[in-house]
Amino acid sequence: MNKILFLILLCFSLISYSQEDSLRARINRIILADNKVESYLDVNDSIDLFINAMQKHFGEVEEVEGIYNWTKLEIDSIGKDVRLRMIHGIWISKETSLKFKPVSPEKVGKLKDYEKRGVRIRVFQKDGKDALLRKSYELVVIKIVEDLLNSEPEKTEE
């Protein structure tokens, strides 16, 4: 009985340890004034490395005031002509409110105690529908983003 308990505890500790060292992405949904649901994926760690990994994976695009738009992507299980919109910004939390303000990564200065950098990602199908509202597409996008989050950055020669 002691051996079984020991094995269970060992397995649990290995599982919980492996989750600690990987970065995660999270899907959020908000209900708009017209009762439509908008979904987006939040990334709040390793922002600069993540943006570089996204550009390497999906191709270089021009950033305009913190907004990156990829069009005509083909993503397995979602389809062709997928549009991906990534917004870099600052999370501002004051008292009971939380606000996300888009800002160019180059314009980010010293952050205050109540500010944190983040990235929001929206994914649209060919017909313009929000791809993250379908659970199967959500899982595909989360897998891609978490793989990019946890990828090793390229080493630069100095």
Side-chain angles (χ1 to χ4, degrees), residues 63-119:
E63 171 265 328
V64 178
E65 296 181 28
I67 300 172
Y68 301 78
N69 284 302
W70 285 272
T71 57
K72 299 188 187 286
L73 296 176
E74 182 173 351
I75 299 177
D76 287 343
S77 303
I78 298 178
K80 294 181 181 180
D81 292 331
V82 174
R83 186 169 54 96
L84 191 141
R85 183 175 206 203
M86 182 173 73
I87 304 170
H88 172 271
I90 304 291
W91 285 103
I92 302 168
S93 59
K94 287 188 176 179
E95 297 172 17
T96 60
S97 68
L98 182 65
K99 184 179 177 183
F100 185 77
K101 178 183 169 191
V103 64
S104 178
E106 290 81 31
K107 293 182 181 177
V108 174
K110 184 168 171 44
L111 297 177
K112 297 176 177 68
D113 290 341
Y114 55 87
E115 297 176 328
K116 183 177 180 179
R117 288 178 68 196
V119 169

Side-chain angles (χ1 to χ4, degrees), residues 103-148:
V103 64
S104 178
E106 290 81 31
K107 293 182 181 177
V108 174
K110 184 168 171 44
L111 297 177
K112 297 176 177 68
D113 290 341
Y114 55 87
E115 297 176 328
K116 183 177 180 179
R117 288 178 68 196
V119 169
R120 269 189 175 177
I121 299 171
R122 302 217 44 223
V123 182
F124 301 95
Q125 295 170 267
K126 181 179 183 176
D127 59 5
K129 290 184 181 177
D130 188 343
L132 296 176
L133 292 177
R134 287 188 60 182
K135 189 65 173 178
S136 59
Y137 294 168
E138 174 185 318
L139 294 173
V140 169
V141 173
I142 286 175
K143 172 76 171 125
I144 291 169
V145 168
E146 286 183 352
D147 285 349
L148 292 173

Side-chain angles (χ1 to χ4, degrees), residues 47-64 66-70 73 84 86 88 105-106 121 148 151 154:
I47 301 301
D48 291 325
L49 294 174
F50 178 70
I51 291 172
N52 291 338
M54 286 286 287
Q55 296 235 24
K56 184 178 177 189
H57 184 79
F58 291 112
E60 294 282 330
V61 292
E62 183 179 352
E63 171 265 328
V64 178
I67 300 172
Y68 301 78
N69 284 302
W70 285 272
L73 296 176
L84 191 141
M86 182 173 73
H88 172 271
E106 290 81 31
I121 299 171
L148 292 173
S151 64
E154 287 186 7

